Amino acid sequence: MHWTRGITCQLRAWRAARADWKADMERYKAARKEARRTGGKLPDEPGPPPTGFALLPWLLMGMGSFSNLLQGKTANPWIGGLGLFLFNSLYINVVFRAFVKEKREAVSTRVALGVMCAITCGLAAGYGGSWLYFFPLLGLATGAVLRGPWLGKTGIALAALAGAVSGVRAGTDAINIAYGTFLSTMVTAAILSLSEAVRELRAAREELARRAVEKERMRFSRDLHDLLGHTLSVIVVKSEAARRLAPRDMDAALGQITDIEAVGRQALTEIREAVTGYREGSLATELDRARSALTAADIDPVVRQSGPPLTPQNEALLGWVVREAVTNAVRHSGATRCEITVDGILDRVRLTVADDGPGTGDSPATAPTEGIGGTGLKGLTERLATAGGSLRAGPSPRGGFTVTAELPVEAAELTSSFVTTTAAAAGAPALATAPREP
């Protein structure tokens, strides 16, 4: 039958909750033992699983009525017995539903409370005596279910009803019944609400800790990808240049090897800084490294920079974009010229890295769609979006590949500087100064 399956499912849920609680207790005991051994902070003790079993012992308040039935002191015992059975059944149903928010707010639960109220009024008015104690039980069930803005008004109304009905049978003792009903309603609601809030806060704290760990792993993987990807590309390019130069110009080849050593040492430093989380990128430094890497790959670098001073955070983000875009240009573009432009436009700064290469089949992006590309470009898209910026990457209409990054900047006095660098075929890059282009 349907109701037997429901009872079976409920029993299984209770067993599962109890098994989870036992597992939490085992973890708590192990963590407490470790904290005492190391002198660390003691963990929070997990409470018992929140179920209606905690409210069942209060049914003992009805033992006096049950005793009167057995001793034959109650008139019409079949009516009293039926009322007692119905009240206890509805009470058990309501208090177990009170620990599941969806069931607690269901209409059927409110209807069950209404039926309990009617049965309580009938039994209390008909028999009096120990039967009046069903009002505090009704208040307890009401407080377990109603935990919203209507709790106070409902508690007062229920206490007034209990006092009025009890006044007919108990006289001045009705004040105690009314007070007990109000107290059981409000205290039960307060305790269960506090318990639920603690559980939600604990779950939120665990979720925040999990997300923090996930975020840190993502940061670490992105930093390692950007650092090692760029550095290894520079080492490969300079090694190829040294191999080409060695037969005819040993001094130039030794210069490339010296650069490889410097790049490797710098990479070790940056990896240590990335691991500790204290690395702050400098846009000027990344532009110098980009110029060196492009020159070693026989790509003429052209760098233009203008606009207000940037915050350290924006410099770091744009430095990552320069690093990733130049690495892709060296690896995939097959270009002969690469232009890097940094412009301050109103309240935003724009970085553009454009090459004139035809690209290769393993290019990381093949369409002018925002945020596309390999792991590096996707990671940079997420970073810039977090800072309120954007990243676009794709083939340029005039040929080649273009990466464009935009970030909001703080208001600052606009200063303009323009640096254009061109590289000779086999020499060091030359610097030239010219007015800012429109």
Side-chain angles (χ1 to χ4, degrees):
M1 297 177 65
H2 177 71
W3 65 272
T4 57
R5 289 198 300 269
I7 294 176
T8 303
C9 292
Q10 187 67 48
L11 289 174
R12 290 176 180 173
W14 292 337
R15 293 194 187 104
R18 184 170 180 80
D20 292 340
W21 175 64
K22 287 184 176 179
D24 290 340
M25 284 300 298
E26 292 296 330
R27 287 192 292 266
Y28 163 73
K29 291 177 181 178
R32 183 179 61 179
K33 184 178 180 180
E34 179 66 18
R36 288 178 175 176
R37 186 181 65 83
T38 59
K41 181 181 178 181
L42 292 176
D44 296 334
E45 181 177 359
T51 65
F53 286 110
L55 302 179
L56 289 186
W58 293 102
L59 285 175
L60 294 176
M61 294 177 63
M63 287 300 296
S65 303
F66 183 70
S67 176
N68 290 338
L69 285 174
L70 293 180
Q71 295 175 8
K73 297 180 180 181
T74 302
N76 299 316
W78 290 107
I79 296 178
L82 179 61
L84 182 62
F85 174 77
L86 291 177
F87 181 89
N88 289 343
S89 300
L90 290 173
Y91 177 87
I92 294 172
N93 177 66
V94 168
V95 297
F96 275 103
R97 294 171 69 91
F99 290 88
V100 181
K101 185 176 181 181
E102 293 75 13
K103 295 182 179 180
R104 182 171 68 238
E105 297 176 351
V107 177
S108 58
T109 304
R110 309 301 169 89
V111 172
L113 275 179
V115 176
M116 285 178 64
C117 182
I119 294 175
T120 302
C121 291
L123 293 176
Y127 295 112
S130 59
W131 296 86
L132 296 176
Y133 293 112
F134 282 103
F135 275 112
L137 277 175
L138 176 62
L140 193 148
T142 303
V145 172
L146 299 180
R147 307 181 196 175
W150 291 95
L151 175 63
K153 296 179 180 180
T154 304
I156 293 175
L158 188 60
L161 177 62
V165 174
S166 301
V168 178
R169 305 290 305 193
T172 57
D173 195 46
I175 297 177
N176 296 329
I177 299 297
Y179 177 72
T181 302
F182 179 77
L183 194 65
S184 64
T185 302
M186 304 306 294
V187 170
T188 301
I191 292 176
L192 295 184
S193 297
L194 181 60
S195 175
E196 186 174 9
V198 170
R199 290 195 301 271
E200 291 177 353
L201 288 174
R202 183 177 297 172
R205 184 176 63 182
E206 293 176 355
E207 178 66 16
L208 288 175
R210 186 190 64 80
R211 291 187 179 183
V213 172
E214 182 179 350
K215 184 178 180 181
E216 182 62 17
R217 287 176 179 173
M218 184 68 69
R219 181 201 69 82
F220 185 65
S221 63
R222 288 172 179 170
D223 285 358
L224 284 184
H225 171 273
D226 294 340
L227 288 169
L228 294 181
H230 172 79
T231 302
L232 294 177
S233 296
V234 172
I235 290 175
V236 169
V237 170
K238 287 187 173 290
S239 299
E240 292 176 349
R243 178 175 53 80
R244 292 196 307 268
L245 292 172
R248 63 178 186 273
D249 192 344
M250 183 58 66
D251 291 337
L254 291 176
Q256 295 292 337
I257 294 174
T258 302
D259 289 343
I260 293 173
E261 181 183 1
V263 169
R265 293 182 182 277
Q266 182 64 28
L268 289 175
T269 302
E270 290 179 346
I271 289 175
R272 294 190 187 102
E273 293 174 347
V275 169
T276 56
Y278 292 115
R279 183 175 188 272
E280 293 185 0
S282 169
L283 182 59
T285 301
E286 294 298 341
L287 291 176
D288 290 339
R289 293 174 182 171
R291 189 182 297 117
S292 175
L294 292 170
T295 302
D298 293 331
I299 301 176
D300 291 336
V302 178
V303 180
R304 301 184 181 91
Q305 185 175 0
S306 65
L310 303 178
T311 62
Q313 179 186 8
N314 284 356
E315 282 209 9
L317 288 172
L318 294 181
W320 285 117
V321 176
V322 171
R323 176 185 288 261
E324 180 66 22
V326 169
T327 300
N328 289 337
V330 170
R331 286 180 176 177
H332 310 293
S333 68
T336 59
R337 177 184 175 90
C338 182
E339 297 184 4
I340 305 175
T341 306
V342 183
D343 285 327
I345 305 173
L346 297 179
D347 60 343
R348 299 183 72 82
V349 60
R350 177 184 297 167
L351 168 68
T352 304
V353 181
D355 61 65
D356 61 353
T360 61
D362 57 348
S363 177
T366 58
T369 308
E370 189 168 329
I372 63 171
T375 304
L377 290 180
K378 289 180 180 178
L380 289 173
T381 301
E382 296 173 359
R383 289 188 182 189
L384 267 67
T386 302
S390 62
L391 179 70
R392 297 185 300 275
S396 174
R398 295 178 295 178
F401 192 82
T402 302
V403 177
T404 303
E406 290 189 5
L407 279 172
V409 297
E410 297 179 357
E413 183 180 357
L414 185 64
T415 60
S416 178
S417 63
F418 178 82
V419 180
T420 302
T421 306
T422 56
L431 300 179
T433 303
R436 178 183 176 182
E437 293 183 355

